[in-house]
Every structure is written in C-alpha cells, then in structure tokens.
Amino acid sequence: MKQSVRVLCYCVGLTVLTSTVVIACGPFFPWQLLDNRKQTLLDLPSTDTFSQKIKNLGVVTAQEKQNLFSADNVNLLASEQTTCPNTDEAYKKAATLFHDKQWEEARSAFALLAYNDKNAAQQVCAKYTLGRIEKELGHFEDAVQSFNGTAYLVANGAPDPLHLGIAAYGEAAGVILDQIGKRITTPYNPKDDSGGITLWNVGGVKEDSLLQLQRAVELYLKQVKLGENSGLSSIVIILKGLSDPKNPDAKLLLDQAVHNPLLRKILLAYVLTDEIDYRTYSKEQTQNILQAFVKAGIDQKNHYDDLGSLGAFAYQNNDMDKAQVFAQYDWQKNQKALDAWVLAKIALRKGDKEKGQEFYHQAIAHFNDGSLRKDNIQRVQGERAVLTLSQGNFVQALEELWPVRDSYWGDVVYLAENVLTPDELKRFVNIHTTVPRDRQAVCDQEVSNENYYDQDTDKYYGYNLAGRSMALRHLLARRLMRAGRIQEAIPYFVTSADANCKGIPQHVQLERDYIKATTDMRRSFWATDRAKAAWKAAVILRRHGMALMGTSGYPDQNPGDYAYGISQMMGPVHNSNNKPWSVSTEQVRTGASWPIPNHRFHYRYLATQDVLYAASLIPHQSQAYAAILCHANGWMQDTSNYGSPPAIYYYPNSDSYESAEEHAQVSLWKNSSYANAKSVALYNLYLKNGPVVSFATHFGYNCPEPQFGAVTKVKRDLFWKKLRSSFHFLKGQ
C-alpha cells in the first residue's frame, strides 16, 4: 500500500487519512487447458473482478465526477500542502480552540466560518473541520451532514487544494459505520512490518442497522467510483466483519444483508473475486456467506437478478444441488452465459457430455449479456474445445480452439503437433492462415534459431494473433520436413518479409541447399561426392535443425523467444486426470507423431546418422574420416551436457507434482546417457579405424574441417598399396 497522506490544517492538527491499494494483476489461467482436463472441465475459476465490479456499483453525479478527484492522482506539490490557504484571523482563532480541544467553542466558531462564502477554500476546510468536531461531541448525524456538505461544496466548484471533498465521503461513512460496530486498528510495527490492520466488529443489531450499513457502503462506493481506492479497502473491511462466523450479531446482520440488492451484489463480488489483494476471507467466512444466501432461498417477489452468480458461488463451494437450483432458475428466467457455463460443468460431473456440450454452445451464444468478463469468455471457448477433443473430434477441437489461440497457444501446438495428421493440419492451415503482406518487414539475411522459424513476435517479443498464424504455418512446415515431405514443406516456411528480399531469401536458399544435399547423398555417382553431400546435410541439420524440423512441443521444445519452450504436455496418458477425458485414438496419434529418435534435439541424432553414412563412404585412413567423426562426437557431447529446462516436467495443473509415470517420462527425456552413449560410440569408432591425427587428444573439440579433396589421393594410395601387397603375395606363392 502507498504511504497514507497526512494533511494538517493550519493550527488545527486536522488529520485527513487517505490511502490506496495496489490493484491485483488480474487472473492467472493455465497456459494449457489440456494439462489437467479434469480440473479444466470440472473446476470453476473466479468469475468476478472485485475492483471493477465494485466500481460499477458506485453512483456519482456529473458535478461530483467533474470536480471531485482522488488523492491518488494529485501531484506531489499539492499533496505536500498542509495548511488551509488564505485563512483569516477568525479561522486561526477557531483553529486554536480546536487544537485546545475546546469543542463547544470551536463548534460555534467553525459553524460561522462554514457558512461564510467570502473565502470558498476556507469554507471547505471549515465545513470539514466542523464534521470532526461534531463527531467528537457525539453529534453523529450532524457530523455526517457536515462531511457530506464538504463534498457538496467541492462538487459545486469550491476550491479544494487539500482534497478534502473526496476524503469527506470516507469520513462520513466511517462515522456511520462506528454506530453499527467498532473499528480497531492494530499498531504498526516497522521492525517486522506487521500490524496496521483495521478490523470491524459488528455490534448489537438495531432496527436501522441495515439501512445505516447501506448508507456507509454507498459513500465508500462514491469514493471508489471517483478513483479513490481506499474505498475498496474499507468495503473489504466491512465484508470481512460482516461474514465473521464467530460473531452472532454479524451473522444476524448478514442474514439481512443478503436480501438487500446492493449489499447482495457486493457480497457475491467479494466471494467470487480472483484479485489477491481483496481475498482476505477464510473458508469459514465463505461458507457463512453461502449459508446466508441459501437460507434466503429463491423468492420470486424479490426479483433477484444475480442468482447466476449465486449458482457459481455454490458450485465453487462444492454444493452442486444448490448450484443447479440457482443456475437453472436464473437460466430459465434470464438465460445468461454464466448460468449456461455452470450448468455445463454440472452436466459433465454427471457424465453427460452431450448435455454439457449443449450448454457450452448456449454459453457462447449468450456472450454479449455481460455476465462473463473477457478472460472467462475465452476460457469457456477453450473448455468447449477440450470437451470436443474428449469425444474424438480432433479437427473440430482445433477449430474451436483457434479463436482463443493467443490465450491457449500451448493447446493449439499440442493438437497441431501431435493429434492431427499432417494432411488434416495442412487442410486446416490452408483454410485458416495466410502469409500477411508487410511492406515494412525487413528481409532476414541471417538464419538463426531464434528468428527464422518463429515469425510471430513483435519488437517486445510478445505474441500476437497474426503471428500465431505464421507460427502455425512454420509448425506445419517443420512437421512435413520430419515426415520426409520436404518439397511440400517449403511454401509454409514463407515469411512476410520474403517479398522484400533482394534475390533469394536466406531461408529459401537453406531449404534448397538441404534438399540438394539429401538428394546428392543418395544419387551421386561417386562415393566421395555422396559423402560430401551427406556431410553438408549433417552440418545443415546441426546448425539449423531446430528451424527446419524441431518440434514446438515434446521432445525438442522448440523455444522461439522463450528459452524453455512452452511446457508442452506429452499426451493424455501421462496424467491420470486426463484419461477419462480422452479417447484411445488420441494417444495412438500422439505417440505416432513423435520424432525418431524420441529425444530432445532429435535432429542432432539425424545429423550424426548422416555423418556415419558419410564415414562409410570414405577411407578410414583419411583426415576427412577423423574430422567428421570428431565433429559428430562434439555434437553429441553438447547434447548430453545440455541442461534440461524444468518446463517439460512441471505440470502446474496436475494434482500431484511428478507422479511416478510422469517422473519416468521425465527421466527418459532429460537423461543424458543416450547422447553420451552416441558420443562414446563415435569415439570408439575413430579409435578402431581412424588415422593418427593432431586433434585426437581433444577429440570432439576444435575439430578441423574435413578435407574431402584429399580423399581421392588417399584412395589412390590405398589402391596401389593394396595392389603391391597382392603382387608380394603372389610372388611369395
């Protein structure tokens, strides 16, 4: 919280306390809904933003909005001013009486000043101070009127350099609140940063307690509406005291409050909020509020317009019977998206997927009713896609997920990378994506792992919807490359900057070079030429393999501008909470889509295979033989030493951290023994067959380029050596 601002009137010691609360950053939803499908489909996230909901409940006049303003927004010079400006001698004498606590005499003096409009700014100060005096004298209603009068003067144009107008609403509300209960502030201890907490205990409930409570809340709501967030803190203090299950007076007043339209809305916003700054209640308090609502029941005479929120509240508290009653009633009467969402989840809990799907469609059809905020609208769309996937409708699931791809990109990647077939994905991409024209795009002259394959980031490395389309096209291109459909892949590597390149774009040249190398390594007539082509293909894969064929999810975790990938799930079988919400075909498809070998940086192993193929085509005694094995050995050493990102094995939505099955998969994924074994095998192969070379002592590091031009001479020398050996053998016979 910001430091409270202390304002002192000249010679009075008048204190005006205002404070602000930092607004929470908003909701955190999992990046991937498919991590834990049971939680996604059956749990109901927070449905309200407390600060925004409360702000919308405040009522202010046009004059108040124009002339009153929050102390949160004042400049420092104004906030440092502590004296009421241009005070006359009469004011100074009155201030002295206040300072000496001569309340009756001070009251008479300030009453005269409060109605003297010759100095409007001084009049505001006098009116405010009069309210403080009347509070001290126990004239509580008069104090409220004086504070409200202060705000009235400012709202009608009176100068207010000390910002007393908006503070007066809080003071008036505090006076009212103190007549219903008692506020206690614990002393602040700077040593351990403890204390300084204000509590409100409801006192004996009187006939007008509910009315007075509403008056106090309305005044705090005015502050909130005008931008003074201390009003929010005050309302939370009220709600916390009102829901205290250990206070029988509070329980009695709470039972009345749930029938009050304004207090009812505030209570529901309070318990349904996801803003951490305002979640100060306990589970016991939440249950107490729920029971008060349940006790009130459904009375058609009251014409409640918030039973959908009450249904959500009951659902979150695992009272499914009440949740269905409230949500069903509100759905039949108002047909709100929130009602349909709750009813969809209730249907899924009962195992009725068809009915659940129907209610999801209804929720989406009623998005415009305002019952769901933007993030929950996206959540509903994402959940419908999860349910569709659980029914085996794979392409349709991606269709439904695509509109919310910016929120749930990890789920889009999983479906596109692992579940859809290459042909299904290709048809989807052709329908839903295009390469945007961008005349300002700069041609990328340097192919790099960071920028080449992920043309979906702006200058702040933030994803955007247009970029997602490009990212999906490149994902398809890499998947086609892995499937050996290289020519088909090339068009999907196109970037929005290609048209601005002079000559051949860099990535196009790379793709052409790779195609030529893979073709020549199989079709060239001379063995040495095939070896040179295989070496070139291997180098391209080692340097640009992530760009050409890396997986966005498991196992490569193609990261783009995210160093640790997207924490991509490995399929429904790896979390027991997913099994009831998937079909066996999905897991079969997922396993079939993984690259071979199924290890991170899988393309490095493919590059090593090309090296071994090249080595089989050239003399073992050649420098080229030793050099290419040296390079491949280094690639495997780099792979075995690479630190595994934690994202691959952290499942934020699973009920348990690293179950045994997950742990086994994680160990397989991050185990360096596979790459290390490849490295050892390459070194042993060199020791067995290779020549003595200067770089043998640091094999795998600082390897020279292979000298394929010398291979012909080595072959010729070997030929004559073998021929001479044959003659010697025949001569001996």
Side-chain angles (χ1 to χ4, degrees):
M1 298 178 66
K2 296 179 181 178
Q3 287 291 335
S4 297
V5 181
R6 187 175 294 273
V7 183
L8 302 177
C9 278
Y10 178 73
C11 292
V12 176
L14 175 63
T15 302
V16 181
L17 293 177
T18 59
S19 63
T20 61
V21 178
V22 178
I23 301 300
C25 296
F28 172 76
F29 291 128
W31 199 12
Q32 290 180 201
L33 297 173
L34 293 169
D35 278 346
N36 187 331
R37 303 178 196 187
K38 177 182 178 182
Q39 184 183 66
T40 294
L41 292 173
L42 301 187
D43 287 3
L44 184 69
S46 299
T47 60
D48 274 323
T49 303
F50 185 71
S51 57
Q52 190 60 47
K53 197 82 170 180
I54 296 304
K55 185 178 291 186
N56 292 336
L57 294 176
V59 178
V60 297
T61 65
Q63 288 177 309
E64 288 174 315
K65 188 174 182 180
Q66 179 179 353
N67 296 320
L68 287 169
F69 55 95
S70 171
D72 297 348
N73 303 319
V74 303
N75 60 62
L76 293 177
L77 292 177
S79 64
E80 290 172 356
Q81 187 173 0
T82 60
T83 61
C84 192
N86 302 318
T87 54
D88 56 21
E89 289 300 319
Y91 189 94
K92 294 176 182 179
K93 290 180 181 179
T96 301
L97 294 171
F98 183 95
H99 183 72
D100 294 338
K101 297 183 179 181
Q102 298 182 39
W103 303 123
E104 289 291 353
E105 293 83 351
R107 179 179 182 275
S108 299
F110 275 106
L112 290 174
L113 294 169
Y115 294 99
N116 185 351
D117 59 359
K118 293 181 181 180
N119 185 334
Q122 180 175 280
Q123 187 183 17
V124 170
C125 292
K127 193 74 171 176
Y128 187 91
T129 309
L130 183 60
R132 298 297 300 272
I133 295 171
E134 288 167 337
K135 178 182 176 182
E136 291 290 341
L137 291 171
H139 304 160
F140 301 120
E141 192 58 37
D142 290 338
V144 172
Q145 295 304 320
S146 293
F147 286 127
N148 286 337
T150 305
Y152 177 82
L153 289 172
V154 177
N156 284 274
D160 185 25
L162 299 180
H163 322 298
L164 300 178
I166 196 167
Y169 283 136
E171 291 291 337
V175 172
I176 297 171
L177 204 60
D178 288 340
Q179 309 317 301
I180 311 171
K182 185 177 181 181
R183 286 182 296 175
I184 303 173
T185 301
T186 59
Y188 175 71
N189 186 351
K191 293 183 179 180
D192 58 2
D193 196 30
S194 63
I197 300 174
T198 300
L199 303 174
W200 180 61
N201 294 319
V202 178
V205 179
K206 302 175 185 176
E207 186 176 347
D208 66 339
S209 292
L210 182 64
L211 177 61
Q212 296 298 338
L213 179 61
Q214 180 177 341
R215 286 181 67 198
V217 169
E218 286 174 344
L219 290 168
Y220 285 131
L221 288 175
K222 280 183 175 289
Q223 285 190 309
V224 176
K225 189 73 172 181
L226 293 168
E228 176 55 79
N229 288 323
S230 63
L232 276 173
S233 301
S234 299
I235 290 174
V236 169
I237 291 170
I238 291 174
L239 296 175
K240 190 173 181 180
L242 191 61
S243 60
D244 183 1
K246 299 177 182 178
N247 185 342
D249 291 320
K251 187 172 180 59
L252 181 59
L253 188 57
L254 176 62
D255 287 340
Q256 297 179 23
V258 295
H259 290 279
N260 180 284
L262 177 63
L263 298 176
R264 180 185 179 91
K265 290 178 181 178
I266 293 175
L267 281 164
L268 283 174
Y270 178 56
V271 295
L272 291 172
T273 184
D274 57 7
E275 291 180 89
I276 297 174
D277 288 351
Y278 308 118
R279 290 186 70 95
T280 58
Y281 49 84
S282 65
K283 185 71 174 178
E284 191 177 10
Q285 286 176 296
T286 305
Q287 289 295 332
N288 192 32
I289 296 173
L290 176 59
Q291 291 305 314
F293 275 110
V294 171
K295 184 178 178 181
I298 299 176
D299 187 349
Q300 296 187 11
K301 297 179 182 179
N302 291 322
H303 301 291
Y304 293 145
D305 61 354
D306 53 7
L307 285 176
S309 296
L310 186 54
F313 181 28
Y315 188 97
Q316 289 178 341
N317 282 271
N318 207 34
D319 192 335
M320 296 303 145
D321 292 337
K322 295 296 187 299
Q324 179 154 13
V325 170
F326 291 134
Q328 189 70 48
Y329 180 87
D330 198 56
W331 172 250
Q332 292 174 352
K333 190 174 182 180
N334 300 312
Q335 291 205 329
K336 293 182 180 178
L338 176 59
D339 305 326
W341 191 18
V342 173
L343 291 171
K345 289 182 174 292
I346 292 175
L348 294 181
R349 281 180 176 265
K350 296 178 179 179
D352 193 339
K353 289 186 178 182
E354 291 185 5
K355 192 171 184 180
Q357 191 75 274
E358 178 185 342
F359 275 119
Y360 271 115
H361 292 322
Q362 290 288 358
I364 292 172
H366 290 81
F367 274 162
N368 292 331
D369 63 18
S371 64
L372 294 177
R373 63 191 192 214
K374 182 179 178 181
D375 49 11
N376 279 338
I377 286 175
Q378 295 177 331
R379 173 71 180 241
V380 170
Q381 290 175 285
E383 288 184 10
R384 181 180 66 167
V386 174
L387 181 58
T388 299
L389 179 65
S390 75
Q391 296 169 307
N393 300 321
F394 306 130
V395 177
Q396 181 61 30
L398 185 57
E399 293 273 0
E400 294 173 357
L401 200 59
W402 188 242
V404 290
R405 56 193 178 276
D406 208 36
S407 295
Y408 303 114
W409 179 243
D411 296 310
V412 171
V413 167
Y414 169 71
L415 291 178
E417 192 89 86
N418 300 110
V419 180
L420 270 65
T421 66
D423 289 325
E424 288 172 341
L425 180 59
K426 186 177 178 181
R427 285 192 292 271
F428 182 91
V429 167
N430 289 341
I431 293 172
H432 292 281
T433 71
T434 57
V435 179
R437 294 182 179 180
D438 187 352
R439 295 181 179 179
Q440 297 180 347
V442 178
C443 178
D444 187 5
Q445 293 297 340
E446 294 184 5
V447 177
S448 67
N449 286 346
E450 287 73 25
N451 300 316
Y452 162 65
Y453 59 89
D454 241 347
Q455 302 292 333
D456 58 357
T457 55
D458 59 23
K459 61 182 178 180
Y460 298 111
Y461 302 104
Y463 281 104
N464 52 68
L465 292 178
R468 300 293 192 189
S469 296
M470 291 299 296
L472 190 67
R473 295 181 69 86
H474 294 162
L475 183 152
L476 170 61
R478 296 193 302 272
R479 192 168 177 195
L480 290 172
M481 290 285 288
R482 295 196 301 273
R485 298 161 63 172
I486 302 177
Q487 292 288 355
E488 290 182 64
I490 292 179
Y492 297 99
F493 277 119
V494 173
T495 73
S496 57
D498 284 352
N500 300 327
C501 294
K502 295 180 180 179
I504 301 174
Q506 192 79 3
H507 75 88
V508 174
Q509 187 60 53
L510 175 66
E511 293 146 19
R512 289 181 178 179
D513 289 346
Y514 183 70
I515 291 175
K516 186 176 187 306
T518 54
T519 302
D520 290 348
M521 67 185 283
R522 302 299 178 190
R523 297 183 180 178
S524 293
F525 181 78
W526 299 108
T528 302
D529 290 339
R530 294 199 300 274
K532 288 170 63 177
W535 167 248
K536 186 173 183 179
V539 170
I540 291 175
L541 278 184
R542 175 59 187 92
R543 293 178 180 174
H544 307 292
M546 187 71 90
L548 287 173
M549 58 179 62
T551 61
S552 292
Y554 177 83
D556 291 331
Q557 290 292 302
N558 187 353
D561 290 293
Y562 295 93
Y564 295 133
I566 58 172
S567 182
Q568 181 63 47
M569 60 175 292
M570 293 183 286
V573 73
H574 298 289
N575 187 329
S576 59
N577 290 306
N578 290 333
K579 292 178 182 178
W581 302 100
S582 65
V583 293
S584 58
T585 309
E586 178 190 345
Q587 186 59 34
V588 172
R589 288 187 173 207
T590 300
S593 69
W594 288 343
I596 300 174
N598 189 18
H599 293 273
R600 196 176 193 215
F601 307 123
H602 81 280
Y603 49 85
R604 296 185 184 180
Y605 300 103
L606 299 182
T608 300
Q609 290 178 16
D610 289 342
V611 167
L612 291 173
Y613 174 69
S616 69
L617 298 172
I618 57 179
H620 296 171
Q621 292 85 352
S622 66
Q623 181 270 359
Y625 181 87
I628 62 176
L629 290 181
C630 177
H631 280 282
N633 177 269
W635 299 344
M636 291 295 96
Q637 290 186 52
D638 288 343
T639 304
S640 65
N641 293 331
Y642 190 88
S644 302
I648 185 65
Y649 57 88
Y650 175 54
Y651 289 75
N653 299 319
S654 60
D655 289 341
S656 61
Y657 178 78
E658 280 198 32
S659 66
E661 189 172 8
E662 289 168 353
H663 183 75
Q665 290 296 324
V666 170
S667 299
L668 172 65
W669 185 87
K670 66 178 183 176
N671 192 347
S672 63
S673 61
Y674 187 81
N676 188 63
K678 290 287 185 183
S679 173
V680 171
L682 288 164
Y683 183 58
N684 288 337
L685 185 63
Y686 161 72
L687 291 178
K688 179 180 179 180
N689 301 321
V692 176
V693 290
S694 60
F695 51 88
T697 56
H698 50 270
F699 202 74
Y701 299 94
N702 300 319
C703 306
E705 288 301 308
Q707 299 174 8
F708 285 103
V711 169
T712 303
K713 182 178 181 302
V714 173
K715 281 188 173 181
R716 186 169 60 248
D717 291 345
L718 287 174
F719 172 77
W720 289 114
K721 183 179 180 180
K722 190 174 182 179
L723 187 61
R724 285 195 297 270
S725 177
S726 298
F727 280 130
H728 285 304
F729 175 77
L730 292 173
K731 186 177 181 180
Q733 292 294 325

